[in-house]
């Protein structure tokens, strides 16, 4: 079972936020290979995945086009039975707090826009995390 993240479509974003070149090219090649290895997702009677791939994507504030490109790529390049998990839990920490583009959580409007885009793509398998309010509570206090 694989649970890969697919964060960035844009090389500019991957370079800026993760200091990585060719992220999308390398990540999508790896994800295709993961699917080749394990195939269609299989769940047990309790809905727990037993084998397969679920591609995770974290929506970033002010970067909705990045998310749309990622979701469109999944729709156009992966088998129809591929699962996606859209995460809305982003909140800024450390240096992100000083970046004017990602220094806040997603707005309800941004969340709704990605939700609507997901439906227009007609991706058949996936999950969209609810927009939360308390994500910071789950981050360990590294100073203790």
């Amino acid at each position: 079972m694989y649970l890969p993240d697919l964060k960035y479509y844009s090389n500019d974003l991957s370079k800026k936020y993760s200091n990585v070149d060719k992220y999308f090219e390398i990540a999508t090649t790896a994800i295709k290979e993961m699917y080749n290895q394990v195939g269609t997702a299989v769940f047990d009677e309790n809905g727990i995945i037993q084998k397969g791939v679920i591609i995770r994507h974290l929506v970033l504030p002010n970067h909705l086009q990045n998310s749309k490109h990622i979701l469109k790529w999944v729709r156009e390049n992966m088998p129809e039975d591929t699962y996606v998990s859209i995460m809305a839990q982003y909140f800024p920490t450390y240096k992100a707090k000083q970046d004017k583009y990602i220094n806040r959580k997603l707005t309800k409007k941004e969340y709704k826009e990605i939700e609507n885009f997901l439906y227009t793509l007609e991706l058949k398998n996936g999950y969209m995390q609810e927009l939360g309010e308390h994500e910071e509570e789950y981050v360990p206090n590294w100073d203790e």
Side-chain angles (χ1 to χ4, degrees), residues 64-114:
L64 300 187
Q65 201 58 43
N66 179 66
S67 295
K68 289 177 180 180
H69 284 302
I70 294 283
L71 295 171
K72 188 172 186 256
W73 178 88
V74 170
R75 177 70 172 102
E76 294 176 351
N77 295 278
M78 295 299 292
E80 195 172 277
D81 60 3
T82 302
Y83 277 75
V84 294
S85 174
I86 311 303
M87 299 178 295
Q89 66 200 32
Y90 174 81
F91 66 94
T93 60
Y94 192 49
K95 291 182 181 180
K97 291 179 179 180
Q98 283 89 49
D99 186 297
K100 68 181 182 178
Y101 296 107
I102 60 169
N103 66 357
R104 61 172 175 78
K105 293 180 178 185
L106 287 180
T107 64
K108 289 178 182 177
K109 182 181 178 192
E110 288 171 321
Y111 176 86
K112 194 68 175 163
E113 186 173 334
I114 293 302

Side-chain angles (χ1 to χ4, degrees), residues 5 8 12-13 15 22 24 28-29 33 35 48 69 72 80 84 87 95 99 119 121 127-128 134-135 144:
D5 287 336
Y8 310 112
D12 291 341
L13 287 181
K15 196 75 170 141
K22 300 181 184 173
F24 183 77
T28 54
T29 299
E33 177 56 30
Y35 189 91
I48 307 295
H69 284 302
K72 188 172 186 256
E80 195 172 277
V84 294
M87 299 178 295
K95 291 182 181 180
D99 186 297
Y119 291 128
L121 284 178
Y127 313 94
M128 185 148 180
H134 304 286
E135 290 84 1
E144 292 182 1

Side-chain angles (χ1 to χ4, degrees), residues 7-52:
K7 295 179 184 182
Y8 310 112
Y9 179 84
S10 158
N11 198 56
D12 291 341
L13 287 181
S14 67
K15 196 75 170 141
K16 179 177 182 177
Y17 295 130
S18 295
N19 198 26
V20 175
D21 256 330
K22 300 181 184 173
Y23 173 89
F24 183 77
E25 176 186 333
I26 294 167
T28 54
T29 299
I31 289 170
K32 286 179 179 180
E33 177 56 30
M34 290 173 198
Y35 189 91
N36 287 340
Q37 289 178 18
V38 296
T40 302
V42 175
F43 297 84
D44 69 12
E45 62 279 354
N46 297 311
I48 307 295
I49 191 166
Q50 302 299 298
K51 76 169 205 135

